[in-house]
Structure formats: C-alpha cells, structure tokens
Amino acid sequence: MTAWKEAGLPAGVDLAAVVAEQPHPLVFATVSGAHLYGFPSKDSDVDLRGSHLLPVAELVGLVAPAETRTVMADRDGVELDLVTHDLRKFVRLMLRRNGYVLEQLLSPLVVHTTATHAALVELAPLTVTRHHGHHYRGFAASQRRLFDTTGELKPLLYTFRSLLTGVHLLRTGRMQAHLPTLLDAEPAPAYVPDLIAAKGAAEHGALDDLVPAATIDRDLAELAARLDQAQQDSPLPDQPAGSAELHELVVAARLG
C-alpha cells in the first residue's frame, strides 16, 4: 500500500478496468516506467506491463501467433501503455538474463495477479545471474546517448537508475528498481534527489544548469566502473537455474 501511495499515479484512472478489457487472460499486470522508478512527472503516462495466456488453439497450428500485445489508450486525459507477452515468451526472457522483465514481474505496483504470477515471483531469484550486469550496462549506455542528444532529465535519471539497479542486484541478488530507495542503499551523487524533484515538474524537462556537464560525466563513469566491478565480484551464478520448474509452470498454466 505504501508503494502505491508514493508512486504518484494519477487519481481517478481505473487501471483494473483496462486490464479487464484484454482479449486473453492475464497472468499479471503491474505498473512499470517512471512511476515504478520513483521519478514520475505530473504529465507522465502510465506504463502497464505483464503477461498473458494465448489459447492452445493459437499455438498448435501452422501460423505462429503474435506473442506480444501492445495497447495504447487515453483514459480521462491520462495516456496508458499496456504491453504484455505470452507466458512462454515472458519466461524465456526471464531465462535470458533480461532485467527489464524481472522489474515488471517484481514490481510492487500490482494491478492484476494470479497464482501463476505468485509462482513466477517465487522462482524469479533462480534466474538472476552475474550476467544481468550486461543488461544494465547496455540500457544505461543507450539512455546516456539519449541524454547527450536531448539534454533531458528523463534519460539522465534512467541512466542513474539502471546503473544503481545493476550494482545493487549484482551485490545482493535483490531487484530494486525504485531510484529514491536505491539512493539509501547504494552510494550515489548527492544531487540526484534534486534531479528527481526537477523532473517532477515536466516529463521532458531539461537538465539546464542544475549540474555541470563535467560532474555528470565523472559520476556516470564512476558508476559504470562500479557496475563492472560488481559484476566481477558478484556471488551470483553464471547461468540461470529453474528452467525445469518454469517449464512445468508454463505447461500447467496453459492447460488450466
């Protein structure tokens, strides 16, 4: 409940109603994006992510079904973006060291849940490896390039968030995607809360002269180096486990 209160989600938007409209049964749906990461703006859209179950009939024929479904909607002036993967694809992504799907699965901002969702959450730690560092290094690099192009606070905060999430995951084995919480758990530049506050005023606000560019360059380089060191020193395994259990879970969910 505390996570919901602090997420800054727009009031009066029935997220559960959007979920209920989907054509395939949902395994789960959670809030991701800036609301999960702890730096939403007043005009941020709401990113919903999750997994659905395709019917068996669509999987046994000659035509390969679309395994990802994307829905864009406007509800009461709020932009909603719902992306879900069929359960089989979602689990395959979990086993491919994809930190993004783990963030979605483990988000505390749960809009819809099932027993299968609970089972996925329980098995998720088995899939975490030291190679998740590659995911967070790559995502941070892409967001840094976007910041260099636009000068906006949003990709800059995504860069800090992804680096700190990666360091924390590799050190502890625990997923933490919420940037303000990460600032209490991991050393970080003292000005990051000021960036969060400034971004809260406008989704596409610019860094302007809040922090010198040279300071940003230095601190991001230091965090990237910490991520590399955390991956090198991580107690996490090289390979994911739990594939047999996840296979059984997918089969059981599909067959009902």
Side-chain angles (χ1 to χ4, degrees):
M1 186 62 69
T2 300
W4 275 103
K5 290 179 179 179
E6 296 178 351
L9 288 157
V13 179
D14 189 353
L15 300 180
V18 176
V19 167
E21 295 169 359
Q22 303 314 304
H24 303 306
L26 290 192
V27 175
F28 76 91
T30 59
V31 176
S32 185
H35 293 95
L36 171 62
Y37 301 148
F39 45 83
S41 305
K42 293 182 293 185
D43 51 347
S44 290
D45 59 2
V46 177
D47 296 323
L48 299 173
R49 299 292 183 266
S51 177
H52 62 265
L53 276 171
L54 286 171
V56 174
E58 292 193 24
L59 297 168
V60 298
L62 297 180
V63 179
E67 293 185 290
T68 300
R69 177 174 170 79
T70 301
V71 177
M72 306 288 291
D74 187 302
R75 297 297 173 90
D76 300 319
V78 177
E79 292 185 15
L80 302 178
D81 175 19
L82 171 64
V83 180
T84 61
H85 302 299
D86 176 63
L87 180 61
R88 179 173 62 181
K89 179 177 181 178
F90 191 92
V91 168
R92 285 174 171 167
L93 290 171
M94 288 175 63
L95 291 169
R96 290 175 187 165
R97 309 162 186 139
N98 187 311
Y100 190 39
V101 296
L102 284 180
E103 293 168 10
Q104 299 164 14
L105 176 64
L106 302 175
S107 170
L109 305 175
V110 179
V111 178
H112 175 78
T113 189
T114 62
T116 301
H117 177 213
L120 284 174
V121 169
E122 185 173 346
L123 291 170
L126 297 177
T127 69
V128 178
T129 74
R130 68 171 62 240
H131 296 293
H132 277 80
H134 297 305
H135 168 87
Y136 285 104
R137 185 181 300 104
F139 187 71
S142 67
Q143 291 299 304
R144 173 62 195 271
R145 289 192 295 270
L146 184 58
F147 167 69
D148 288 341
T149 300
T150 66
E152 291 184 358
L153 287 164
K154 182 176 180 178
L156 179 59
L157 285 169
Y158 268 73
T159 306
F160 276 113
R161 197 285 306 175
S162 57
L163 290 170
L164 287 166
T165 292
V167 168
H168 190 72
L169 181 66
L170 293 169
R171 277 200 325 102
T172 68
R174 295 190 293 273
M175 175 60 71
Q176 180 55 258
H178 189 252
L179 182 55
T181 300
L182 285 164
L183 297 179
D184 292 331
E186 301 289 342
Y191 56 77
V192 175
D194 295 331
L195 302 184
I196 294 173
K199 197 261 183 184
E203 179 73 1
H204 299 287
L207 174 65
D208 293 329
D209 58 354
L210 282 173
V211 182
T215 301
I216 295 289
D217 291 343
R218 179 200 66 203
D219 291 339
L220 289 179
E222 191 273 336
L223 274 174
R226 277 174 49 199
L227 178 61
D228 290 343
Q229 190 65 48
Q231 183 168 354
Q232 180 177 324
D233 298 340
S234 179
L236 296 173
D238 284 324
Q239 299 296 327
S243 58
E245 294 92 334
L246 288 165
H247 167 77
E248 293 175 1
L249 180 63
V250 172
V251 171
R254 187 83 70 199
L255 298 180

